[in-house]
Amino acid sequence: MSTDPTRTYDVIVIGAGPVGENVADRTTAAGLHTVVVERELVGGECSYWACEPSKALLRPALLRADAAHVPGLDPAVKGPLDVEAVLAHRDRMSADWQDDGQVAWLASAGIELLRGHGRLAGEREVTVETPTGDTIRLRARHAVAVCTGSRAALPPLPGIEEVRPWTSREATSARRAPERLLIVGAGVVGVEMATAWQALGSRVTLLARGDRLLPRMEPFAGELVTERLREAGADVRFGTSVDGVRRVGGEVRATLSDGGQLGADEILFATGRAPRSQDIGLDHVGLTPGDWITTDDTLTVSAVPGDWLYAVGDVNQRALFTHQGKYQARVAGAVIAARAGGTPPHTGRWARHSATADTAAVPAVVFTDPEVATVGLTVEAAERAGRDVEVIDYDLGQLAGALQYRPDYRGRARILIDRDRQVVVGATFAGPGVAELLYSATVAITGEVPVDRLWHAVPAFPTLSEVWLRLLETRRDL
């Protein structure tokens, strides 16, 4: 093992996923010499084990579901999906788990890449253990950004590791469809993977500890997804958890909370996320290894003095979505550049250097059949926050655009309007194709567009976006 002399940069970024890449891009564009440290693949979880492969698995399933309900197309899509072709497409969308393209992009942007395991070693100091066993010491003139993301959290069941359970990584990179797949978890990963693998030929059993799917969203969203999963052949069970699990030969055997037993070829635990912060040197800067890293709205780590340490993306637990982490990266990059130039950050609600959307307008799409799209508050969240809101619902199946999309269209839309300010503060859509409605709702919330002004935003006919007019008309007629 050898240790090179300390290398000095303006900015050090630990983690080259989409968040780290965007922090580095912003600081480099601002003229700051930036290095990114990565121990796995450049591009991170989203590119290889989450967003890209999961949507590649889901797209054929959702397209077939739509086509099967369109006159003239329905006879053409009655057969099973070509599983090998779907998995090959998934592999292409994941770049065959090779990061050459993203490494080339870093170089084209003028960002230096250092492969190895980065750890904080003190104020503005990072050590990197390279794949060859060497140790390289780095020092930052201005900032260190921790962008290490999150990992799947497994429940503390005895012997769970010996079972070789699937997490989101295995579920999105599997080489074949298991005959029987048991999924534990009612959140986004659970319902998306149930949708994908049921369509690819697996017999899926989905266990939800609570009484509904997608428990953080409006109840009607989970109800519609449950209905379609069951119609597709999935076994969806509520009020059920796994108390024990073991593998006997090639079979997984799960003991359920009601005392029952279930057998499967594979078991996927989609039971939450944990920060990738266990072995990154947090103890060297007064933080606790394995904890989420708390920041203020400038993404500066609150508990570390000196305004030099930033935590961006999943690792700070503010909003665990790739797009939200990239938003934070844009904010953090601007903050780092401002401070490096001697300018205090401009903070405050919706200011350039404040990640306001993390608390006011986080958009999310669940790519199930039907799709679910949500941004801002739900009714339950508004009640917890003591917000006085009007709740306006509309049956999406009444739209001409929806009936053009699928003659038997089933879906629902809801907006929440702040009674005092008369602006939209939450929106949820559930139905085929609703993902493309989400940006308009996000703009309405972040722009704090008065409801009276929304009357003048004319939707094209016949499109799903006409739901905005119908929601406003429903409110008028209440």
Side-chain angles (χ1 to χ4, degrees):
M1 179 191 298
S2 64
T3 302
D4 290 347
T6 299
R7 304 180 188 178
T8 301
Y9 298 87
D10 292 322
V11 180
I12 301 167
V13 179
I14 304 176
V19 175
E21 288 177 317
N22 274 269
V23 171
D25 185 40
R26 295 288 164 156
T27 56
T28 299
L32 300 176
H33 187 199
T34 301
V35 63
V36 176
V37 181
E38 177 54 57
R39 67 184 181 89
E40 290 191 298
L41 296 176
V42 175
E45 202 80 11
C46 179
S47 296
Y48 308 104
W49 301 287
C51 317
E52 294 287 4
S54 66
K55 303 315 168 278
L57 292 173
L58 285 159
R59 178 60 179 157
L62 301 185
L63 189 59
R64 183 180 68 170
D66 286 341
H69 293 263
V70 176
L73 276 176
D74 46 332
V77 293
K78 291 298 185 185
L81 292 174
D82 183 336
V83 177
E84 288 188 8
V86 173
L87 296 182
H89 171 61
R90 182 273 317 272
D91 293 351
R92 288 191 295 273
M93 293 303 295
S94 302
D96 291 308
W97 292 275
Q98 301 294 319
D99 64 2
D100 304 35
Q102 302 219 38
V103 170
W105 177 83
L106 284 179
S108 71
I111 303 164
E112 188 171 332
L113 170 65
L114 181 56
R115 291 196 184 270
H117 190 133
R119 296 179 179 90
L120 295 164
E123 183 174 342
R124 294 183 175 84
E125 294 183 350
V126 173
T127 60
V128 181
E129 183 181 343
T130 71
T132 60
D134 294 333
T135 299
I136 299 174
R137 297 187 181 278
L138 308 179
R139 180 166 182 80
R141 297 185 185 92
H142 299 294
V144 176
V146 176
C147 307
T148 49
S150 64
R151 57 176 176 81
L154 291 172
L157 296 175
I160 191 171
E161 296 294 345
E162 286 71 31
V163 175
R164 304 184 303 279
W166 279 11
T167 66
S168 52
R169 283 198 169 195
E170 290 76 20
T172 55
S173 62
R175 309 310 306 178
R176 63 176 184 84
E179 184 176 339
R180 299 168 300 164
L181 176 61
L182 176 58
I183 300 177
V184 184
V188 174
V189 172
V191 297
E192 286 194 345
M193 290 299 94
T195 301
W197 289 108
Q198 181 72 36
L200 289 168
S202 298
R203 296 204 311 272
V204 170
T205 301
L206 177 61
L207 305 182
R209 177 178 295 180
D211 60 0
R212 71 182 201 243
L213 300 184
L214 302 173
R216 296 185 180 180
M217 299 183 181
E218 297 287 11
F220 66 79
E223 291 167 5
L224 285 166
V225 172
T226 301
E227 180 182 296
R228 285 296 297 123
L229 280 173
R230 285 176 169 164
E231 288 177 1
D235 180 2
V236 182
R237 306 186 189 184
F238 297 104
T240 307
S241 57
V242 173
D243 287 349
V245 62
R246 59 195 177 103
R247 188 178 284 274
V248 180
E251 183 182 56
V252 175
R253 296 181 184 173
T255 301
L256 307 184
S257 53
D258 61 6
Q261 299 277 329
L262 272 179
D265 298 288
E266 301 291 351
I267 184 169
L268 163 61
F269 283 98
T271 49
R273 307 290 295 178
R276 291 187 181 274
S277 65
Q278 184 62 44
D279 188 22
I280 59 170
L282 292 186
D283 50 321
H284 290 286
V285 294
L287 302 176
T288 303
D291 280 0
W292 301 100
I293 306 176
T294 302
T295 73
D296 61 20
D297 285 350
T298 67
L299 291 313
T300 308
V301 178
S302 309
V304 176
D307 292 340
W308 63 271
L309 184 62
Y310 299 78
V312 193
D314 279 14
V315 75
N316 62 32
Q317 206 185 15
R318 291 172 64 94
L320 276 66
F321 297 100
T322 296
H323 48 269
Q324 210 67 24
K326 292 163 75 172
Y327 161 73
Q328 291 177 15
R330 297 192 292 272
V331 173
V335 172
I336 292 168
R339 285 176 171 156
T343 303
H346 177 207
T347 59
R349 186 173 174 84
W350 303 119
R352 172 175 170 77
H353 299 128
S354 290
T356 309
D358 285 349
T359 54
V362 176
V365 177
V366 188
F367 291 89
T368 45
D369 176 24
E371 291 176 346
V372 178
T374 181
V375 61
L377 295 174
T378 61
V379 172
E380 290 180 356
E383 289 174 350
R384 287 195 303 270
R387 300 283 293 273
D388 184 12
V389 296
E390 296 179 65
V391 181
I392 313 299
D393 287 348
Y394 190 77
D395 178 0
L396 280 164
Q398 299 299 309
L399 294 173
L403 297 178
Q404 292 284 0
Y405 198 99
R406 276 168 64 158
D408 62 346
Y409 194 104
R410 285 176 286 176
R412 188 171 172 184
R414 170 174 290 174
I415 59 172
L416 276 58
I417 298 173
D418 185 296
R419 291 185 190 276
D420 294 330
R421 297 167 54 227
Q422 290 296 294
V423 295
V424 178
V425 292
T428 299
F429 309 98
V434 298
E436 300 306 326
L437 289 173
L438 189 57
Y439 190 67
S440 58
T442 304
V443 169
I445 293 172
T446 58
E448 299 179 338
V449 181
V451 174
D452 286 347
R453 180 60 62 85
L454 285 176
W455 274 105
H456 297 280
V458 181
F461 179 87
T463 65
L464 291 178
S465 63
E466 197 178 14
V467 70
W468 282 102
L469 173 58
R470 302 304 174 212
L471 286 163
L472 295 176
E473 288 178 334
T474 300
R475 177 178 184 249
R476 177 197 62 191
D477 294 339
L478 288 177

